[in-house]
Every structure is written in C-alpha cells, then in structure tokens.
Amino acid sequence: QTSTSNATTHVKIPPRMGNCCACLESAGAVDGSSVEMKKQRGGGGGSGGKMAPSLTLSRRMSAPSVAIDGEMVRISGNGLALVGCSIEQDAAYWEWQIERTSGSSADDGDDDDDDDDNAPKFGVATRKDQKFYRALQAAEIDDNEMSADDGTALMRSVSVRDGDTVGVAVQQSDLPMIQFLLNGEPLHEIAINRFRGSVFPAIYVREGIKAEVVFDEDNFKELSPHARFGPLIAARGII
C-alpha cells in the first residue's frame, strides 16, 4: 500500500555567490537548513520589489531620537540608525533616496552653507543596542570625552538636496573599502579604506531630512560603481 505525505515543501532559493547578509531581526527560531526568501510589500523602494523582511531598519539598533516608518525603510529625526542585517558578502551596493522637508537649509540651493557638521552621514556601523545610546546620551550630558564615539567612525557626511540619491558600495575582499556616490558620481575623496569586523548598513539622519533605504536593484536610481557590487540579499539561517 502506498502512503501519501502531506508534508510542506520548503522552496530553497540560494543567494547569489557572495551576496547575503546575516539577519538579526528574526522574530523567532529559524530553520538553519533552509534559506527562505519572502516578498515584502514596499520592497524598500517600490511595491514590486522582492526583499527579505530583515532588510529593514532595526529599531533595536537605532537611536530613540529617530522615527522609522511602518514599513521600516524610511527614517527621519536626528541620530544613528542601522539596518538589521550584517554585511557578509564580498561586494554590495545599496542606496539612500533623500527627501528634504520644507524649510530645511538646503532647499534654497545654498549647499555650500550646509556644512558637514549638519549633513547626514552614510556608510556602515558596528552593532549597536539601546545600552550604547543610553551611555552616549549620559556622556553628552556630562560633557564626557566618550561622547566623541558616536558610532559613525565608518561613515561620512554628504550634503544632499531634495531628490538626491546617495549610493554606498562596500568591498570586503582584497582591500576592504567603503565607497560613496552622489547621484551616481563617485566621491573618491571620502572613501574609507581598510576596515575590519562585522558591519551593518547605517545612516546618521539630520532634522529636515527623510531618507529611504533601497536594496532592490529594480528600484535603484543609479548604477553601482562596478558589476561586482550586487544588491544585498538577506539569507535566513546564516548567523
């Protein structure tokens, strides 16, 4: 007699070689034997994008002074925010698409007056938690030197206008490097060389700016600096 099994079949979708990131935002236990990719509404830059749920901003690793939208891809306020997946691949590219709110200093076109101290920062950061932000706030209140460590050592300031796109390209093989692009133009002078350790896509947002992080290449506004820089793909179970 032949028996029929009704066990659910899990479809495994292998990430492209070198293009995966370790998820830290999983809600529960994850089956490490399978890599499950799901479609998220909004897709980090469009309703048709395919993206794992973990490729979103992490409230646990972001400052309490920032506001993150319901889809977890748009941010405003003032402070540091991290995406909930570390970068594990050899080369990756993502974008921050910028909206300037009315009345912000760059709306009048005087970008030269928008000095780096007031510009948003882009790049990567090591893992953060709410304990870090509480210690940072306490250090700032006490005017302690520790306040100099605001988590942005691997980030750079970029002055932006409404509608701008800031691209970030991270290379970890050979010579580790973080490259920055503004509307597709490389900003060679602020590139970061030689970094180590596990890092996460990050932004230090400023008042008057809203930013949306985009990982879906179908929704990129610009090209990556080289074909080897593919979009991040979140792979569950790779921790």
Side-chain angles (χ1 to χ4, degrees):
Q1 183 177 0
T2 303
S3 62
T4 302
S5 173
N6 292 324
T8 302
T9 300
H10 292 279
V11 179
K12 298 181 180 180
I13 304 178
R16 289 187 298 180
M17 182 62 68
N19 283 345
C20 61
C21 70
C23 171
L24 294 185
E25 292 291 283
S26 299
V30 175
D31 180 1
S33 66
S34 65
V35 176
E36 179 184 5
M37 302 300 295
K38 293 184 179 180
K39 183 174 181 180
Q40 174 179 313
R41 186 175 65 84
S47 59
K50 292 181 179 180
M51 187 176 70
S54 53
L55 280 177
T56 56
L57 293 160
S58 167
R59 286 195 172 98
R60 289 187 299 171
M61 293 199 294
S62 298
S65 55
V66 302
I68 300 173
D69 79 331
E71 293 184 347
M72 307 291 287
V73 295
R74 299 175 188 86
I75 184 170
S76 59
N78 188 75
L80 180 64
L82 277 66
V83 170
C85 281
S86 62
I87 304 165
E88 304 294 337
Q89 64 264 49
D90 291 337
Y93 172 82
W94 64 91
E95 291 183 351
W96 294 94
Q97 296 174 4
I98 305 300
E99 177 187 347
R100 279 278 192 174
T101 58
S102 60
S104 59
S105 60
D107 283 338
D108 57 7
D110 294 332
D111 287 326
D112 292 338
D113 296 331
D114 192 23
D115 92 45
D116 285 348
D117 289 339
N118 296 316
K121 295 182 180 182
F122 305 89
V124 300
T126 56
R127 186 192 302 197
K128 298 291 181 286
D129 56 23
Q130 293 304 304
K131 182 178 179 180
F132 166 82
Y133 294 110
R134 289 193 295 270
L136 179 61
Q137 184 180 29
E140 289 174 344
I141 292 173
D142 296 338
D143 198 22
N144 191 304
E145 288 295 328
M146 286 181 59
S147 63
D149 178 17
D150 61 358
T152 64
L154 297 177
M155 304 174 71
R156 292 294 181 264
S157 298
V158 180
S159 294
V160 292
R161 288 185 175 184
D162 186 50
D164 279 350
T165 296
V166 177
V168 182
V170 174
Q171 172 181 308
Q172 299 199 84
S173 61
D174 301 325
L175 177 64
M177 177 181 293
I178 305 168
Q179 302 177 55
F180 303 91
L181 303 93
L182 179 60
N183 299 325
E185 294 297 322
L187 304 173
H188 297 297
E189 66 278 7
I190 62 172
I192 298 172
N193 295 318
R194 301 185 185 280
F195 67 93
R196 293 181 179 180
S198 178
V199 293
F200 301 76
I203 184 174
Y204 197 106
V205 71
R206 302 291 189 179
E207 292 290 351
I209 292 174
K210 293 181 180 178
E212 178 176 357
V213 63
V214 180
F215 294 108
D216 184 350
E217 62 184 330
D218 291 338
N219 295 309
F220 287 164
K221 290 184 176 180
E222 307 293 344
L223 296 174
S224 68
H226 190 278
R228 69 176 178 271
F229 291 95
L232 273 72
I233 298 177
R236 289 188 172 187
I238 304 179
I239 296 181

